[in-house]
Amino acid sequence: MSLIVRKIASIIGGFIFLYGIYIVLHGHLTPGGGFAGGVIIAGSFVLFVLAYGTDESGEKKRFFIASIFESIGALFFIGIAFFGLFLGSLFFLNFLPQGLPLKLLSAGTIPLSNIAISIKVGAGLFSIFLALAATKYFLEE
Amino acid sequence: MALITDLILTPIVFGLIGMVIKRISRWLALISSAISTYYSIQLLGLLPGSFTIRLTPPVPIIFQLDLLSVTLSIATSVLTFLVVLYAINQKIRDRFFVYIPIALGISLGALLSSDLILFLFFWGFLLAIVFGLLLVGKEGRDPSAAAQKALFLLGASDFAMLLGIVLLLTTIGIGSLTPPFPKPLTSPIAIAGFILILAGGVGKIGGFPFHTWIPKSADVVPPATMAFLPSVLDKILGTYLLIRLLTRIFIPSPSIALLIMIIGSITIVIGVFMALIQPNGMRTLAYSTIGQAGYIIVGLGTLHPIGIAGALFHMFNNIIYKTGLFFTLGSVEAATGRSNLEDLGGLAKVMPITFFSFLISGLALAGVPPLSGFCSKWMIYQAIIQSRSHWLWPAFLIAAMFGSVLTLAYILKLLYATFLSEPPKDLDLDRIQEATVNGWFPPLLLAVGAIVFGVFAYSVPIARIIQPILPTRIEALGFWQPVLATILLLIGLLIGLLIYLFGTALRAKESKIFIGGEEIDSEEGRIPGTHFYSSLPQIYMLEKIYTFGKGGAFDFYNYLVGIFTSLGIVAGKVIEFLIQKFYEVIAAIYRIAGGVGSEAHSGILPNYLSWLLLGLFFLFLFLW
Amino acid sequence: MNLLPLFFALPLAGAFLIPILSKIWRGFSDLIANSITTILLFLSFYSLNLFEEGEVIIYKMGGWPPPLGITMVYDHLSALIVISIAIVVFAASIFSIRYLEHFTGRVKFYTLFMLITAGMMGVAITGDIFNLFVFVEIASISSYALVAFGIEKEELEAAFKYMVMGEIASLFLLFAIALLYGRASTLNMADLANTLSVAGRDQLFWFVAAILLFSFAIKSALFPFHSWLPDAHPSAPAPVSAILSGIFVKVLGVYALIRLSFNVFGLTPQNSPIFFHILIFLGLVSVFFGGIIASRQRDYKRLLAYSTIAQIGFIMVGIGIGNFWAIAGGLFHILAHAITKSLLFLTSGAVVYATGKRDLEELAGLGKTMGITAWSYRLATLSLSGLPPLVGFFPKLFIIIGACQAKLYWLAILLAILSVFTLAYLLKIIRKVYFTTKEVSTPETPFSMRLSMLFLVILMILFGFGFQGLLNSLIIPATKVLLNGTGYGRAILGG
Amino acid sequence: MFFFITTLILIIIGLYAIVTKTNLIRIIIGFAILEYAINFFFALVGFKKGALAPIITQVDGPKNFVDPIPQALVLTAIVIGLATTALMLSFAIKLYQKHKTFDITKIKELKG
């Protein structure tokens, strides 16, 4: 990609990432949440990969890391649910203090779940992108 | 009550142990059949009674004991013991001895169970074991095709029976094999259920049209299997079911009786006439088994007390001599390694005990008085004549009588070809030895049984066994007096023997065949037994008329026999052919429909999707 | 502590633990998957004890009361399905240990394996219709991926076709859910049942019913909607084929259909005969065509796949007759067929493992060297074609009893005849593969494979002899759940 | 009513593409259309005329919201749709790699 694209990507990418985090953290207050935020986070990574390009080995490395993060996100999510089971004898029980409505630190486990989902979705989408992008190696054969 | 569970479970458990420890399976089979013989005799002390076992709370498992079931249980156990005894040192795979006790246990269960569902359970279970048993082939033979055919035919008849039982259960509410009193067959559903169960019984007994697996198996499974399966187990179970069905569960109507008798007559015709033209001893006996099943069916179909008693008696006789015949021919096969009649001959000298057993059993099978087969057939004839249920009755009588005559014919052929004819050159008689003790003892015992059941027909089997089983009194057996006849016959035989000894018989002179200045090899002069009736299928009416004109009364008999024989053979062949064609047509339909269906799966996705949409369209059409 | 969510949460957790932990040590994937399936097996049988508290066990996810939150509902019908799933999955996971030697992506395989388990378990115990859709999709998507697992030409083709048809079904299911939501404004199945039984049956009701039937008919591969199955099931690795054919189609198709049509829509043969006639018709056509096309196959697994179509047809006929014994037979057949068909597919896996071939014409004489495999196959054949004392006998008996009670005698006769057909096509494999006196030298399968086959054989015999206990503890209560109709809604929500 | 008809038309277009098109990618596009149509419909189910978006900005604000549940559900459906589309695309790519064609009618090795 051209220098302009790279430069702008490096400027914008961080903002996109930050915006994704914003969406995730306000998931229990405003529209959005784990999935939407995760997609945006993945978008920032995709932007970097598109701008700076990648080679096969780099792609494999990223894919490896992404898949680990994906599993961690999912485990985190299920872990929260299991915590509910162990602490309050109900799966997915909202065992944390709920706080006041419309405050950032409220709604118990929901923000945590949103974070877990965002990790899972971001990593998952990014790895899907990488997997599809990898097809260019064999389609060019 | 515990006795019953012991009786049923002991053989099964022994069989299962034998499955694990193959080495001792033979002895386990022997021991278990002996034990079940002991137990089943013990059952006599419990009579009469019904026993309920509550395995799981709501549905009890009901066993009912009456004389019929107990007697048949004893017979099954004893015969199984003999089969195992006979087979124990033969070259049969160990699996055979695993299945035999299991089959014994299951069939005892079937005989003793009163509940129809329980009965069905045992019955179907037995089918699986029979399949396994038929899979144990002779050395170097592949029995799979025969076993599959058996499984298919027996499976079909079993499913028919299942359907019938379900029909009875759901519509009439008959759930027991031993209801307090029989019900009349009136509603069409009940008749349908009856006929379906009948199909199960007929299939088990080996009757038309479920019989074709028996001759097919005869070549490929060991003789002991043939002795055990079609001639003991299936006969006993089939007869049991039919007797229960016709006497305890229902009061059948005359048209039903006609149906049964037609089935029986066809079975006789097929069995006897096909037996006549087989080139192989085992196959002959297999067809003979079918033919004798026909007698049982006809006897039951008369619905006359004598007929039913005769059928039951015939069943006993049949398992006695038929098992003996399979044993002796099996010994012959084991000793010589051949089974085609053409390759055998002259074994009477080297296997005298086997020969004697075969002679007695064979003559009993042919119904030569005073041996056992005669009296029961006589009772069946009597019943046919006395019941006269339909104007067709002479046809049934003729079928039965000619069947009997021709049975003698093929038995003589077997006897001649195996034991009496000049041996073929490559059969070295000096090397052949009499069977070992357990090889000759069971058939000899059975031959003695055949004599006892024949000579003392009234005093032993009928009075002691059959009369107590059946509710009605058996009377009017005609003027046949077996003991007297035996004495007369013995006197006749004695005179004949005297003549033989002191007459000229011993002075017969043997010399080489000498024709046209050339010594002819004795092999060319030999008449193998297979040629005995080889001309029968090609009999020309003209020749017979010619001989008739020349010969007189005796030739008239010949002529009649000729006509009926050829007719019978033609009929037998035609029926076999039709059955074959029927299967083929079904197979063809099956194949064509399968082909069309298979072609339709062309692998093209849009086609599949259009089926989906079509289906959706119809769903909307009907539901919306 | 209520263990209900563990049924789907454990495999779900396993699915994500496996990729991480197997980076440390490869053996973790086997270990985790097998221990989870073992736990599930014990849990599923243990869960029968829960019914002492009541006929229906309701689990409120996150503590939300039923119409609002997602509820898990565990009754005897769910228990039957859960037990079937647990049995099949347990056997398949043991079998996979050695079978996967031929494949590279062991970790991915187990991840998908756990996901498909989680999806099926979720379908079986969920009480929320959208949740049902989600679990259906989890299971379906993993199954698409598992079908394509070998990534060879045939596997990919099968997977793509399967996916096209499966997704049509899934999307129509979603469409039906949308319509239902638009009508009743609720997603809880119990609430839905109550609402629908109060409101009359208008055009929209039947429209939704038709769409649902279409969707589940595809999922359960009834005849005109079946064409993906004979491609997809044989293409998957053998343990997966065992899961797909053994239980997957029944959970996603049959179970979901009967749960919705009986308990939510309140359909009975009396008030909606057409619906049930359609079920009988589809079932019969499936039995017939599945059977005859199966007997034409040359491929070991493809034959079994067609046989699955036929056997699903039996289940559907039983359900379609709709009286007590017929439904009991259908439900019993779900369990019986799960055991037998997965056993049959596992034997195919053993044969492929030992010889590398699936073509019946090329295989011969394996009966001698692969004794356990051959005997498992034979017993499964006898069971599937309905010979006592194996488990397959009773379902068919009950279905025929049901048909007779409903005065559908022609149907009873047809079913009895078609049962013999089952024998015909399954015997083909015995004849071609296990018989023949030809000497071959293939090794017996590894211990773990034999173990899993033996496990199923023992169950087959055990359930056959102990059918009475099974009937009382599981089948009859499950049948009662279905016959209870929309009483389901009242049982859960009360009032 | 207009929306329902639109949905129906979209569904039919999607099905038409899936059934009649032979190109793998077009089939996948057909699926996308079908999926969007159904999602669209689902989102419409919760629609109320003149109601607000279901976002609470203060604790006791106006109560006239559209039904938020369908939107949440549609979001889930979209996630699932994402997964299926991705998987299907990867199948398509792999199929192309093996068969060198995108024509589904030419990919017919499994038959009978």
Side-chain angles (χ1 to χ4, degrees), chain B residues 61-84:
Chain B
I61 291 177
I62 303 169
F63 290 105
Q64 176 111 26
L65 297 185
D66 57 9
L67 255 177
L68 176 64
S69 52
V70 173
T71 314
L72 292 181
S73 306
I74 297 173
T76 317
S77 307
V78 172
L79 266 298
T80 309
F81 178 75
L82 287 181
V83 169
V84 177

Side-chain angles (χ1 to χ4, degrees), chain C residues 181-233:
Chain C
Y181 186 80
R183 181 176 177 83
S185 293
T186 179
L187 290 169
N188 188 290
M189 272 152 58
D191 203 16
L192 211 55
N194 287 348
T195 318
L196 286 178
S197 64
V198 171
R201 298 187 171 180
D202 49 7
Q203 296 271 305
L204 184 64
F205 179 89
W206 287 116
F207 185 75
V208 176
I211 288 180
L212 277 178
L213 181 56
F214 171 69
S215 166
F216 291 126
I218 295 177
K219 291 280 185 200
S220 58
L222 289 175
F223 183 66
F225 312 107
H226 70 286
S227 40
W228 55 272
L229 190 144
D231 294 348
H233 285 188

Side-chain angles (χ1 to χ4, degrees), chain C residues 201-411:
Chain C
R201 298 187 171 180
D202 49 7
Q203 296 271 305
L204 184 64
F205 179 89
W206 287 116
F207 185 75
V208 176
I211 288 180
L212 277 178
L213 181 56
F214 171 69
S215 166
F216 291 126
I218 295 177
K219 291 280 185 200
S220 58
L222 289 175
F223 183 66
F225 312 107
H226 70 286
S227 40
W228 55 272
L229 190 144
D231 294 348
H233 285 188
S235 300
V240 176
S241 307
I243 293 181
L244 291 182
S245 248
I247 192 68
F248 184 82
V249 282
K250 282 173 230 132
V251 178
L252 262 65
V254 180
Y255 167 76
L257 176 64
I258 58 181
R259 177 65 97 189
L260 289 182
S261 56
F262 279 85
N263 288 144
V264 175
F265 279 71
L267 303 176
T268 58
Q270 284 75 42
N271 65 24
S272 44
I274 299 174
F275 186 83
F276 284 86
H277 286 164
I278 288 176
L279 285 189
I280 293 180
F281 174 75
L282 292 180
L284 262 187
V285 175
S286 307
V287 173
F288 182 70
F289 278 102
I292 57 169
I293 300 176
S295 59
R296 304 249 321 162
Q297 297 306 314
R298 279 185 51 161
D299 182 316
Y300 196 134
K301 293 175 84 175
R302 203 172 169 85
L303 192 155
L304 295 179
Y306 274 110
S307 148
T308 300
I309 296 175
Q311 301 300 321
I312 296 285
F314 269 110
I315 298 175
M316 270 305 167
V317 170
I319 303 293
I321 293 168
N323 56 20
F324 182 85
W325 280 111
I327 292 178
L331 293 181
F332 203 160
H333 203 45
I334 290 180
L335 178 59
H337 182 247
I339 296 172
T340 28
K341 186 48 67 66
S342 43
L343 179 55
L344 289 175
F345 267 110
L346 291 187
T347 63
S348 86
V351 168
V352 171
Y353 180 87
T355 63
K357 290 179 215 157
R358 268 165 43 185
D359 194 329
L360 295 181
E361 307 296 329
E362 294 172 16
L363 290 164
L366 295 184
K368 272 185 190 152
T369 50
M370 303 174 69
I372 301 248
T373 310
W375 276 106
S376 310
Y377 185 88
R378 280 173 202 152
L379 286 174
T381 300
L382 295 179
S383 166
L384 199 59
S385 44
L387 284 186
L390 299 166
V391 66
F393 165 68
F394 301 100
K396 291 192 180 170
L397 178 68
F398 294 158
I399 293 175
I400 290 175
I401 289 178
C404 286
Q405 277 177 342
K407 303 234 179 305
L408 297 165
Y409 298 115
W410 58 273
L411 190 59

Side-chain angles (χ1 to χ4, degrees), chain C residues 157 163-164 181 187 302 306, chain D residues 31 67 73 84 107 109 112:
Chain C
E157 179 192 344
M163 189 158 185
V164 167
Y181 186 80
L187 290 169
R302 203 172 169 85
Y306 274 110
Chain D
F31 265 107
D67 190 350
L73 301 183
T84 54
I107 303 171
E109 288 185 359

Side-chain angles (χ1 to χ4, degrees), chain C residues 130 133-134 137 141 144-145 148 151 153-154 156-161 163-164 167-168 171-172 174-175 177-179 181-182 187 231 235 297 302 306, chain D residues 11 15 18 24 27 31 34-35 38-39 41-42 45 67 69-70 73 76-77 80 83-84 87-88 91 94-95 98-99 104 107-112:
Chain C
F130 193 79
F133 168 72
V134 172
E137 279 297 62
I141 293 174
Y144 308 142
I151 47 171
K153 270 187 173 180
E154 290 183 356
L156 287 166
E157 179 192 344
F160 190 81
K161 288 175 182 172
M163 189 158 185
V164 167
E167 278 310 297
I168 289 179
L171 288 175
F172 270 81
L174 182 63
F175 187 39
I177 291 170
L179 285 166
Y181 186 80
L187 290 169
D231 294 348
S235 300
Q297 297 306 314
R302 203 172 169 85
Y306 274 110
Chain D
I11 288 176
L15 273 181
I18 294 166
L24 295 176
I27 291 175
F31 265 107
L34 185 60
E35 190 195 319
I38 290 167
N39 286 343
F41 176 74
F42 212 154
V45 162
D67 190 350
I69 292 176
L73 301 183
T76 317
I80 292 169
T84 54
L87 190 59
M88 217 183 257
F91 284 166
K94 279 282 177 189
L95 273 174
K98 301 279 179 192
H99 288 263
I104 188 71
I107 303 171
K108 47 173 186 176
E109 288 185 359
L110 295 169
K111 53 185 158 188

Side-chain angles (χ1 to χ4, degrees), chain B residues 336-420:
Chain B
T336 62
R338 328 167 163 210
S339 60
N340 274 345
L341 295 179
E342 209 156 331
D343 306 332
L344 290 168
L347 294 174
K349 277 177 216 156
V350 287
M351 305 177 81
I353 307 175
T354 307
F355 168 64
F356 175 74
S357 316
F358 186 89
L359 181 69
I360 298 294
S361 299
L363 292 181
L365 165 66
V368 172
L371 295 171
S372 65
F374 175 77
C375 190
S376 50
K377 278 184 189 167
W378 180 254
M379 286 163 79
I380 291 171
Y381 301 153
Q382 288 281 321
I384 296 175
I385 296 167
Q386 288 198 2
S387 67
R388 291 197 195 97
S389 50
H390 193 263
W391 56 266
L392 271 173
W393 68 270
F396 303 138
L397 191 63
I398 290 172
M401 287 186 149
F402 266 93
S404 181
V405 171
L406 294 170
T407 306
L408 181 62
Y410 67 71
I411 278 304
L412 288 181
K413 168 180 139 185
L414 280 185
L415 196 65
Y416 173 77
T418 315
F419 291 102
L420 299 177

Side-chain angles (χ1 to χ4, degrees), chain B residues 153-442:
Chain B
L153 286 173
L154 292 177
S157 80
D158 273 14
F159 274 111
M161 198 179 80
L162 183 149
L163 202 60
I165 286 179
V166 168
L167 273 180
L168 293 189
L169 275 176
T170 52
T171 56
I172 313 177
I174 292 176
S176 166
L177 273 168
T178 50
F181 48 86
K183 287 191 178 181
L185 259 181
T186 44
S187 71
I189 302 285
I191 291 178
F194 175 87
I195 290 177
L196 286 168
I197 300 181
L198 188 74
V202 169
K204 191 57 102 183
I205 213 170
F208 167 82
F210 301 106
H211 64 275
T212 48
W213 66 273
I214 301 176
K216 202 167 163 107
S217 304
D219 287 344
V220 288
V221 299
T225 308
M226 286 307 285
F228 181 66
L229 265 191
S231 51
V232 176
L233 210 55
D234 289 359
K235 283 285 174 300
I236 291 178
L237 284 174
T239 314
Y240 170 75
L241 178 66
L242 289 180
I243 288 180
R244 278 268 191 266
L245 195 63
L246 292 168
T247 61
R248 288 296 292 271
I249 305 181
F250 287 115
I251 306 170
S253 57
S255 52
I256 292 284
L258 180 69
L259 173 73
I260 299 173
M261 290 188 58
I262 289 175
I263 292 174
S265 310
I266 293 177
T267 310
I268 293 178
V269 168
I270 292 176
V272 169
F273 289 103
M274 293 303 285
L276 209 52
I277 52 172
Q278 297 304 321
N280 176 310
M282 281 294 158
R283 282 183 81 92
T284 312
L285 289 184
Y287 272 109
S288 157
T289 301
I290 298 166
Q292 301 303 306
Y295 282 99
I296 301 174
I297 298 173
V298 166
L300 293 170
T302 57
L303 301 180
H304 195 276
I306 295 177
I308 290 172
L312 195 59
F313 190 18
H314 196 69
M315 191 273 293
F316 277 118
N317 292 336
N318 187 47
I319 58 176
I320 289 173
Y321 52 64
K322 191 54 61 61
T323 318
L325 287 174
F326 272 118
F327 283 168
T328 45
L329 273 198
S331 295
V332 166
E333 207 178 303
T336 62
R338 328 167 163 210
S339 60
N340 274 345
L341 295 179
E342 209 156 331
D343 306 332
L344 290 168
L347 294 174
K349 277 177 216 156
V350 287
M351 305 177 81
I353 307 175
T354 307
F355 168 64
F356 175 74
S357 316
F358 186 89
L359 181 69
I360 298 294
S361 299
L363 292 181
L365 165 66
V368 172
L371 295 171
S372 65
F374 175 77
C375 190
S376 50
K377 278 184 189 167
W378 180 254
M379 286 163 79
I380 291 171
Y381 301 153
Q382 288 281 321
I384 296 175
I385 296 167
Q386 288 198 2
S387 67
R388 291 197 195 97
S389 50
H390 193 263
W391 56 266
L392 271 173
W393 68 270
F396 303 138
L397 191 63
I398 290 172
M401 287 186 149
F402 266 93
S404 181
V405 171
L406 294 170
T407 306
L408 181 62
Y410 67 71
I411 278 304
L412 288 181
K413 168 180 139 185
L414 280 185
L415 196 65
Y416 173 77
T418 315
F419 291 102
L420 299 177
S421 72
E422 199 171 330
K425 231 180 178 180
D426 53 343
L427 187 69
D428 188 2
L429 282 184
D430 299 334
R431 287 228 196 127
I432 295 167
Q433 289 176 346
E434 176 60 274
T436 49
V437 179
N438 65 344
W440 61 253
F441 177 69

